Each structure stands twice: as structure tokens, then as C-alpha cells.
Amino acid sequence: MKRSRSSLVHQVTYATKNPHKILPHLRRLARDTWFRLRTRDHVAYYRAVMKSDTARDPEGAVGSHTHKRWLALGRLQFDYLLEHGLKPECRMLEIGCGNLRAGRLFVGYLYTGNYYGIDISPDILMAAQDTIVKHGLGDKLPYLTPVRDLRFAFLPDEYFDVVHAHSVFSHSPPDVIEECFAHVGRIMKPDAWFDFTFDRTEGKEHQVLREDFYYRTETLIALAEKHGLRAVFMEDWENRHKQSKIRITRRRAG
């Protein structure tokens, strides 16, 4: 069972087993407090987190502490989507594209102009441009756009075949996730699908600082259904990555 990481028992036990991580956690706690005091909402807060992390290491900012791990996690996401229906002709939106850890593979695979990446962090999108240059992907014309929210107001109706968000909702409070669910159906084609990962708990839903959020599967499924979407837990993802995955599709009329 995936238990609460915010409980005092978990924190004491974890610190006892991993004393070398105590000082980094205290630094993270101090940064969290500083950003909380200086930002007005979660998006502004997390944009500040990403600015700080990207300045130190763009690959580390997206959760990859070595280049080998960065490559492996990008390949993992890419291979899974290929197994589950991604085709070169698909038009794809990647929410929280980061520095194109997986995006570089999607850009190279999809037809020219079919990849759209959005992120709340302008700093990580600058790193994404470096990835495009490094891997010679400029002629594939990827679209990279900084955003303030997940309303997708600048994107056209029924435009995308695939929407993808890896390790985005694991850093998002419920109102940000609901905002996405309320608007993503509009930009999806009738047969499109939206895959996202999340940190799953089978106990009480909780957060660690303001960065990491843990949800029950049924909570996210119910939230999607509230906005006319059908959500399915992807069991075959469970042994591939520490986060869980849900696939969303539009409900058919009638």
C-alpha cells in the first residue's frame, strides 16, 4: 500500500534510514517557506521552484539526477505511448513538456509540426530550445509555449489526437487538475486520448510541502467524469515507474 509521506511516523522512519537526506530536506523546506511567502498562487510558486531548479541543472529540474536517467525516462514514456496507439500522423500536446526529456523523441517521431509542448516555466522552455538544437530537431518545427494556466484558451477545438502529461499532476493541487479536466475535452478530437501520471496513495490524500501531491485513483476518476470524461486506470504501467497512470477519453454523445 502507498502510505502517506506527510505523516510524522513516515518522516521519522525515513530520516532514520536515510540520515544523509536530512540536510537536503531541510534546505528544501526552507526554500518552500520562502517561495510560499513570495508567491500569490500555486502556479507562481511552482514557476519559482522550476526557475531555481533549472538554474542548477535542467535535467535535474524535471526529475532526472543523471543524464542516463534522463534518457531512460524519456525513452520509457515514448515506448509506452507507441505501444498504446501513438502514430506519426498524430497531433500531440505535451503538458509540462519540460526540457523535452520525452519530447525530443516525440518531435523526432511525429510528422513535422505535429508536436506542441506547453509549460508554466519559461526557464525550462529555454532549456527545451537547447535540446532541440542539440538533437537537430529544428526542421521538425515543434511548438513550445509558456502558459499561465491549463485552460488551453489559445488552442483550437478538437485539434489533438494525443495529450500527454508526465509528472505534472504529481505537483498539482486539486484545483489545477480540475481546471485541466474542465477544458481539455474541448481541444481533444472525438477519438483522442489523454494519458497522465500521478502519485497514488491508497490511504489519506496528502501533500509534501507544496511540491508533491498524492491522490487516490478514484478521486481523479470521479473528477474526470464530473467534466464529461471517461477515465481508466492503466494497470500495465504500474511496474514501469513509481507513479501511476490514467487514460482519459471523451464520452460519446448518447
Side-chain angles (χ1 to χ4, degrees):
M1 177 181 292
K2 297 188 176 184
R3 301 184 183 276
S4 173
R5 297 192 179 191
S6 64
S7 71
L8 181 60
V9 172
H10 171 82
Q11 293 179 13
V12 171
T13 302
Y14 188 81
T16 301
K17 293 180 179 179
N18 301 275
H20 62 287
K21 293 188 176 181
I22 294 176
L23 185 57
H25 177 75
L26 292 175
R27 292 195 187 106
R28 187 181 175 198
L29 178 61
R31 184 182 73 167
D32 174 81
T33 302
W34 176 250
F35 287 160
R36 279 174 183 261
L37 294 172
R38 293 173 59 87
T39 54
R40 66 187 180 279
D41 56 29
H42 181 75
V43 171
Y45 165 85
Y46 207 73
R47 185 177 287 129
V49 168
M50 290 300 294
K51 181 179 180 67
S52 173
D53 287 348
T54 302
R56 195 163 53 246
D57 175 18
E59 293 185 358
V62 297
S64 302
H65 299 296
T66 67
H67 184 62
K68 181 178 179 180
R69 184 62 174 162
W70 186 83
L71 294 172
L73 286 175
R75 174 60 63 177
L76 174 67
Q77 297 171 56
F78 178 76
D79 288 347
Y80 186 85
L81 263 63
L82 253 63
E83 293 172 17
H84 289 76
L86 184 67
K87 304 296 182 185
E89 61 270 23
C90 289
R91 191 178 286 129
M92 178 180 182
L93 172 68
E94 186 167 27
I95 301 170
C97 64
N99 69 335
L100 302 185
R101 177 173 58 182
R104 66 183 180 86
L105 299 173
F106 295 133
V107 171
Y109 175 75
L110 298 171
Y111 290 165
T112 297
N114 276 14
Y115 177 87
Y116 291 69
I118 62 174
D119 206 289
I120 65 167
S121 170
D123 298 275
I124 202 66
L125 287 177
M126 294 296 286
Q129 292 182 12
D130 294 337
T131 300
I132 290 170
V133 173
K134 181 178 179 180
H135 293 274
L137 296 169
D139 60 347
K140 299 300 294 282
L141 301 178
Y143 297 89
L144 301 176
T145 306
V147 295
R148 291 188 298 265
D149 54 44
L150 293 182
R151 296 176 181 271
F152 316 114
F154 69 102
L155 295 171
D157 293 356
E158 297 188 353
Y159 194 68
F160 293 101
D161 301 283
V162 178
V163 182
H164 180 244
H166 182 91
S167 199
V168 174
F169 292 168
S170 54
H171 302 298
S172 302
D175 61 305
V176 171
I177 297 175
E178 182 161 17
E179 179 180 76
C180 178
F181 288 170
H183 297 279
V184 73
R186 178 187 64 80
I187 63 172
M188 294 170 63
K189 292 181 180 179
D191 295 323
W193 38 275
F194 169 25
D195 278 11
F196 66 85
T197 64
F198 67 103
D199 279 326
R200 182 169 64 89
T201 180
E202 295 175 2
K204 182 180 179 181
E205 294 179 331
H206 59 282
Q207 67 186 70
V208 178
L209 303 181
R210 201 175 173 185
E211 293 186 31
D212 302 316
F213 294 79
Y214 293 79
Y215 294 100
R216 295 174 65 88
T217 303
E218 52 266 36
T219 296
L220 297 180
I221 289 177
L223 193 58
E225 291 178 345
K226 174 183 174 182
H227 293 283
L229 304 168
R230 180 175 179 268
V232 177
F233 185 77
M234 305 297 279
E235 294 185 1
D236 66 344
W237 173 262
E238 280 293 274
N239 294 325
R240 307 189 191 204
H241 190 269
K242 66 179 181 179
Q243 293 183 9
S244 299
K245 185 184 285 282
I246 287 176
R247 171 165 292 190
I248 281 179
T249 54
R250 289 175 49 179
R251 288 197 176 278
R252 296 183 182 276

